[in-house]
Amino acid sequence: MWLGYCLVVDAAVLFRKGSSMLARSPAGYVALFVISAPAWWLFELLNARVQNWHYEGGYSFGEIGYAVFASLSFSTVIPAVFGSAELASTFGWIRRVPRGLALGPTRPVTAGMFVGGAAMLGLLLAWPLYFFPLLWLSVYFLLEPINVWLGNRSLLRDAAEGDWRPYLSLAVGCLICGFFWEMWNYYSWPKWKYDVPWVGFLHVFEMPLLGYGGYVPFAWELFALFHLVRGGPEDLVDLRPLDGPSASDASDDPRP
Protein backbone atom coordinates (compact mmCIF):
# COMPACT_ATOMS: atom_id res chain seq x y z
CA MET A 1 0.00 0.00 0.00
CA TRP A 2 2.71 2.50 0.96
CA LEU A 3 4.87 1.65 -2.03
CA GLY A 4 1.84 2.50 -4.16
CA TYR A 5 1.42 5.76 -2.24
CA CYS A 6 5.06 6.69 -2.82
CA LEU A 7 4.84 6.04 -6.56
CA VAL A 8 1.54 7.88 -6.98
CA VAL A 9 2.86 10.92 -5.13
CA ASP A 10 6.08 10.89 -7.16
CA ALA A 11 4.01 10.79 -10.35
CA ALA A 12 1.90 13.71 -9.09
CA VAL A 13 5.08 15.71 -8.43
CA LEU A 14 6.36 14.87 -11.93
CA PHE A 15 3.07 16.06 -13.41
CA ARG A 16 3.10 19.35 -11.48
CA LYS A 17 6.81 20.19 -11.66
CA GLY A 18 8.11 18.31 -14.66
CA SER A 19 10.62 16.64 -12.34
CA SER A 20 10.51 14.23 -9.42
CA MET A 21 12.89 12.25 -7.22
CA LEU A 22 12.41 9.01 -9.17
CA ALA A 23 12.74 10.78 -12.54
CA ARG A 24 15.84 12.72 -11.48
CA SER A 25 17.70 9.84 -9.83
CA PRO A 26 16.34 6.27 -9.81
CA ALA A 27 19.32 5.10 -7.76
CA GLY A 28 18.83 7.94 -5.31
CA TYR A 29 15.16 7.05 -5.00
CA VAL A 30 16.07 3.47 -4.09
CA ALA A 31 18.51 4.85 -1.51
CA LEU A 32 15.56 6.52 0.25
CA PHE A 33 14.08 3.09 0.97
CA VAL A 34 17.42 1.64 2.05
CA ILE A 35 18.11 4.42 4.55
CA SER A 36 14.51 4.68 5.75
CA ALA A 37 14.29 1.32 7.52
CA PRO A 38 17.27 1.78 9.92
CA ALA A 39 16.25 5.42 10.40
CA TRP A 40 12.88 4.37 11.80
CA TRP A 41 14.45 1.62 13.90
CA LEU A 42 16.34 4.45 15.63
CA PHE A 43 13.00 5.89 16.75
CA GLU A 44 11.86 2.43 17.82
CA LEU A 45 14.99 2.29 19.99
CA LEU A 46 14.15 5.63 21.59
CA ASN A 47 10.56 4.51 22.08
CA ALA A 48 11.83 1.53 24.08
CA ARG A 49 12.56 4.13 26.75
CA VAL A 50 9.60 6.44 26.13
CA GLN A 51 6.93 3.76 25.52
CA ASN A 52 4.59 6.11 23.64
CA TRP A 53 3.44 3.48 21.16
CA HIS A 54 3.30 -0.29 20.91
CA TYR A 55 2.30 -2.87 18.33
CA GLU A 56 -0.47 -5.42 18.59
CA GLY A 57 -0.56 -8.59 16.51
CA GLY A 58 3.11 -8.73 15.62
CA TYR A 59 3.53 -11.98 17.54
CA SER A 60 1.74 -13.82 14.72
CA PHE A 61 4.86 -13.45 12.52
CA GLY A 62 7.48 -14.67 15.01
CA GLU A 63 10.54 -12.64 15.91
CA ILE A 64 12.39 -13.00 12.59
CA GLY A 65 9.28 -12.57 10.47
CA TYR A 66 8.28 -9.51 12.49
CA ALA A 67 11.70 -7.91 12.01
CA VAL A 68 11.61 -8.56 8.25
CA PHE A 69 8.05 -7.33 7.66
CA ALA A 70 8.50 -4.37 9.99
CA SER A 71 11.68 -3.33 8.16
CA LEU A 72 9.90 -3.56 4.82
CA SER A 73 7.15 -1.31 6.18
CA PHE A 74 9.63 1.11 7.73
CA SER A 75 11.47 1.37 4.39
CA THR A 76 8.61 3.44 2.94
CA VAL A 77 8.66 6.18 5.61
CA ILE A 78 11.28 8.51 4.12
CA PRO A 79 10.17 8.11 0.47
CA ALA A 80 6.58 8.85 1.49
CA VAL A 81 7.48 11.93 3.54
CA PHE A 82 9.94 13.39 1.03
CA GLY A 83 7.60 12.76 -1.90
CA SER A 84 4.71 14.39 -0.05
CA ALA A 85 6.97 17.31 0.88
CA GLU A 86 7.90 17.85 -2.78
CA LEU A 87 4.21 17.77 -3.63
CA ALA A 88 3.49 20.28 -0.85
CA SER A 89 6.16 22.59 -2.24
CA THR A 90 3.98 23.00 -5.34
CA PHE A 91 1.00 24.29 -3.34
CA GLY A 92 0.29 27.92 -4.17
CA TRP A 93 -0.05 29.07 -0.58
CA ILE A 94 3.37 27.63 0.31
CA ARG A 95 4.97 29.20 -2.77
CA ARG A 96 3.59 32.59 -1.70
CA VAL A 97 5.08 32.50 1.80
CA PRO A 98 7.43 35.50 1.96
CA ARG A 99 10.99 35.38 3.14
CA GLY A 100 11.42 35.89 6.84
CA LEU A 101 14.15 36.10 9.44
CA ALA A 102 17.49 34.89 8.13
CA LEU A 103 19.19 32.40 10.43
CA GLY A 104 22.58 31.42 9.10
CA PRO A 105 24.51 28.31 10.13
CA THR A 106 27.05 30.28 12.10
CA ARG A 107 29.22 28.62 14.72
CA PRO A 108 27.18 30.01 17.66
CA VAL A 109 23.93 28.81 16.05
CA THR A 110 25.17 25.31 15.25
CA ALA A 111 26.95 24.91 18.59
CA GLY A 112 23.85 26.08 20.43
CA MET A 113 21.67 23.66 18.47
CA PHE A 114 23.98 20.74 19.18
CA VAL A 115 24.20 21.46 22.91
CA GLY A 116 20.45 21.98 23.03
CA GLY A 117 19.86 18.68 21.20
CA ALA A 118 22.14 16.82 23.59
CA ALA A 119 20.30 18.35 26.56
CA MET A 120 16.94 17.38 25.04
CA LEU A 121 18.08 13.80 24.54
CA GLY A 122 19.39 13.64 28.10
CA LEU A 123 16.11 14.93 29.53
CA LEU A 124 14.15 12.53 27.33
CA LEU A 125 16.11 9.52 28.52
CA ALA A 126 16.20 10.57 32.17
CA TRP A 127 12.55 11.61 32.62
CA PRO A 128 10.55 10.26 29.67
CA LEU A 129 7.21 10.79 31.42
CA TYR A 130 7.68 14.56 31.31
CA PHE A 131 9.98 15.11 28.35
CA PHE A 132 8.66 12.58 25.81
CA PRO A 133 7.84 15.34 23.23
CA LEU A 134 11.57 15.98 22.90
CA LEU A 135 11.88 12.71 20.99
CA TRP A 136 10.61 14.67 17.97
CA LEU A 137 13.07 17.55 18.40
CA SER A 138 16.30 16.18 19.87
CA VAL A 139 17.40 14.19 16.81
CA TYR A 140 17.04 17.20 14.51
CA PHE A 141 18.88 19.56 16.85
CA LEU A 142 21.71 17.04 17.20
CA LEU A 143 22.12 16.13 13.54
CA GLU A 144 21.51 19.42 11.74
CA PRO A 145 24.73 21.02 13.10
CA ILE A 146 26.70 17.90 12.20
CA ASN A 147 25.46 18.14 8.62
CA VAL A 148 26.55 21.78 8.51
CA TRP A 149 30.00 20.93 9.89
CA LEU A 150 30.43 18.09 7.38
CA GLY A 151 29.27 20.21 4.45
CA ASN A 152 26.14 18.14 3.90
CA ARG A 153 22.78 19.44 2.70
CA SER A 154 20.98 21.11 5.58
CA LEU A 155 17.79 23.09 6.04
CA LEU A 156 19.81 25.87 7.63
CA ARG A 157 21.14 26.61 4.15
CA ASP A 158 17.64 27.80 3.26
CA ALA A 159 17.08 29.52 6.60
CA ALA A 160 20.26 31.54 5.98
CA GLU A 161 18.42 33.16 3.06
CA GLY A 162 15.27 33.71 5.10
CA ASP A 163 13.49 31.00 3.09
CA TRP A 164 11.51 28.83 5.52
CA ARG A 165 9.40 27.20 2.82
CA PRO A 166 11.44 23.94 2.81
CA TYR A 167 10.72 23.59 6.54
CA LEU A 168 7.05 24.22 5.85
CA SER A 169 6.90 21.85 2.89
CA LEU A 170 8.42 19.04 4.94
CA ALA A 171 6.01 19.71 7.81
CA VAL A 172 2.93 19.73 5.56
CA GLY A 173 4.12 16.66 3.66
CA CYS A 174 4.63 14.72 6.88
CA LEU A 175 1.22 15.77 8.20
CA ILE A 176 -0.33 14.43 4.99
CA CYS A 177 1.50 11.15 5.51
CA GLY A 178 0.50 11.15 9.16
CA PHE A 179 -3.17 11.33 8.24
CA PHE A 180 -2.89 8.34 5.92
CA TRP A 181 -0.68 6.40 8.36
CA GLU A 182 -3.22 6.78 11.12
CA MET A 183 -6.25 6.19 8.91
CA TRP A 184 -4.90 3.01 7.31
CA ASN A 185 -3.60 1.76 10.65
CA TYR A 186 -6.98 2.07 12.36
CA TYR A 187 -8.50 -1.09 10.86
CA SER A 188 -5.20 -2.88 10.17
CA TRP A 189 -3.81 -5.95 11.89
CA PRO A 190 -1.12 -5.92 13.16
CA LYS A 191 -1.46 -2.29 14.21
CA TRP A 192 0.08 0.28 16.53
CA LYS A 193 -1.61 1.97 19.46
CA TYR A 194 -0.56 4.95 21.56
CA ASP A 195 -0.04 5.58 25.24
CA VAL A 196 0.83 9.27 25.34
CA PRO A 197 0.83 10.92 28.80
CA TRP A 198 -1.21 14.06 29.44
CA VAL A 199 -2.61 14.42 25.90
CA GLY A 200 -4.41 11.11 25.37
CA PHE A 201 -7.76 12.62 24.39
CA LEU A 202 -9.64 13.75 21.24
CA HIS A 203 -8.38 10.85 19.19
CA VAL A 204 -8.33 11.04 15.40
CA PHE A 205 -8.05 7.33 14.60
CA GLU A 206 -5.58 5.91 17.18
CA MET A 207 -3.61 9.15 17.51
CA PRO A 208 -4.55 11.87 20.04
CA LEU A 209 -5.19 15.12 18.18
CA LEU A 210 -2.28 16.96 19.80
CA GLY A 211 -0.01 14.05 18.91
CA TYR A 212 -0.18 15.02 15.25
CA GLY A 213 2.07 17.95 16.15
CA GLY A 214 4.94 15.49 16.42
CA TYR A 215 4.82 14.90 12.68
CA VAL A 216 6.07 18.45 12.04
CA PRO A 217 9.60 18.18 13.52
CA PHE A 218 9.71 14.47 12.64
CA ALA A 219 9.98 15.49 8.98
CA TRP A 220 12.99 17.69 9.75
CA GLU A 221 14.61 14.84 11.67
CA LEU A 222 14.20 12.51 8.69
CA PHE A 223 15.72 15.14 6.40
CA ALA A 224 18.74 15.51 8.69
CA LEU A 225 19.13 11.74 9.13
CA PHE A 226 18.98 11.04 5.42
CA HIS A 227 21.54 13.68 4.49
CA LEU A 228 23.88 12.63 7.28
CA VAL A 229 23.95 9.10 5.83
CA ARG A 230 23.98 10.18 2.18
CA GLY A 231 26.49 12.99 2.61
CA GLY A 232 27.27 15.82 0.25
CA PRO A 233 25.66 19.22 -0.34
CA GLU A 234 23.46 18.21 -3.29
CA ASP A 235 19.67 17.94 -3.22
CA LEU A 236 17.79 14.75 -3.94
CA VAL A 237 14.46 15.98 -2.62
CA ASP A 238 13.82 19.32 -4.30
CA LEU A 239 11.86 21.60 -1.97
CA ARG A 240 12.42 24.76 -3.96
CA PRO A 241 9.26 26.52 -5.13
CA LEU A 242 8.20 26.35 -8.74
CA ASP A 243 9.23 29.96 -9.29
CA GLY A 244 12.85 29.05 -8.52
CA PRO A 245 15.36 27.20 -10.72
CA SER A 246 14.25 23.68 -11.51
CA ALA A 247 16.09 20.64 -10.26
CA SER A 248 16.85 19.70 -13.86
CA ASP A 249 18.93 22.88 -14.11
CA ALA A 250 21.17 21.77 -11.28
CA SER A 251 24.32 19.80 -11.94
CA ASP A 252 23.78 16.06 -11.95
CA ASP A 253 24.93 14.15 -8.91
CA PRO A 254 25.92 10.56 -9.81
CA ARG A 255 25.71 9.34 -6.21
CA PRO A 256 22.49 7.79 -4.89
Side-chain angles (χ1 to χ4, degrees):
M1 180 183 292
W2 274 99
L3 177 59
Y5 175 93
C6 294
L7 294 176
V8 167
V9 168
D10 190 84
V13 172
L14 182 62
F15 176 78
R16 290 178 63 85
K17 297 179 68 171
S19 175
S20 72
M21 290 186 292
L22 179 57
R24 289 192 299 269
S25 175
Y29 194 68
V30 172
L32 294 174
F33 292 85
V34 174
I35 295 173
S36 179
W40 181 254
W41 278 114
L42 170 63
F43 292 98
E44 292 290 337
L45 178 63
L46 292 174
N47 185 59
R49 175 61 174 160
V50 177
Q51 294 291 303
N52 279 171
W53 67 88
H54 65 277
Y55 298 93
E56 296 183 348
Y59 54 81
S60 60
F61 293 100
E63 291 185 1
I64 296 178
Y66 173 80
V68 170
F69 283 110
S71 295
L72 285 173
S73 298
F74 299 162
S75 72
T76 62
V77 172
I78 288 180
V81 171
F82 286 6
S84 299
E86 273 213 37
L87 184 61
S89 72
T90 70
F91 296 168
W93 66 273
I94 290 182
R95 294 167 56 196
R96 290 190 293 270
V97 171
R99 293 183 183 272
L101 175 68
L103 182 65
T106 62
R107 185 172 296 275
V109 168
T110 54
M113 288 183 67
F114 185 82
V115 171
M120 291 179 195
L121 183 60
L123 291 171
L124 169 71
L125 297 176
W127 297 287
L129 179 63
Y130 302 103
F131 294 103
F132 65 89
L134 297 181
L135 191 156
W136 308 115
L137 287 169
S138 57
V139 174
Y140 174 70
F141 274 78
L142 277 170
L143 297 187
E144 185 76 348
I146 296 176
N147 279 326
V148 171
W149 298 333
L150 294 177
N152 297 337
R153 173 70 169 98
S154 75
L155 290 171
L156 284 177
R157 186 177 78 185
D158 305 289
E161 300 175 356
D163 187 358
W164 296 88
R165 289 174 295 183
Y167 279 93
L168 183 57
S169 296
L170 282 165
V172 171
C174 201
L175 284 169
I176 293 171
C177 288
F179 172 80
F180 284 104
W181 272 320
E182 303 302 337
M183 180 181 69
W184 287 332
N185 172 68
Y186 192 68
Y187 288 111
S188 296
W189 191 260
K191 67 185 299 181
W192 62 79
K193 301 193 76 170
Y194 294 100
D195 183 17
V196 184
W198 323 116
V199 298
F201 52 86
L202 294 178
H203 287 71
V204 179
F205 309 116
E206 296 290 354
M207 172 71 87
L209 180 61
L210 293 179
Y212 282 88
Y215 282 117
V216 172
F218 175 54
W220 307 335
E221 290 180 313
L222 291 179
F223 194 86
L225 267 168
F226 174 76
H227 286 92
L228 179 66
V229 175
R230 181 175 185 260
E234 299 84 3
D235 285 311
L236 176 63
V237 52
D238 181 13
L239 300 177
R240 290 170 293 183
L242 288 172
D243 52 312
S246 66
S248 60
D249 295 332
S251 59
D252 292 331
D253 176 22
R255 297 172 308 151

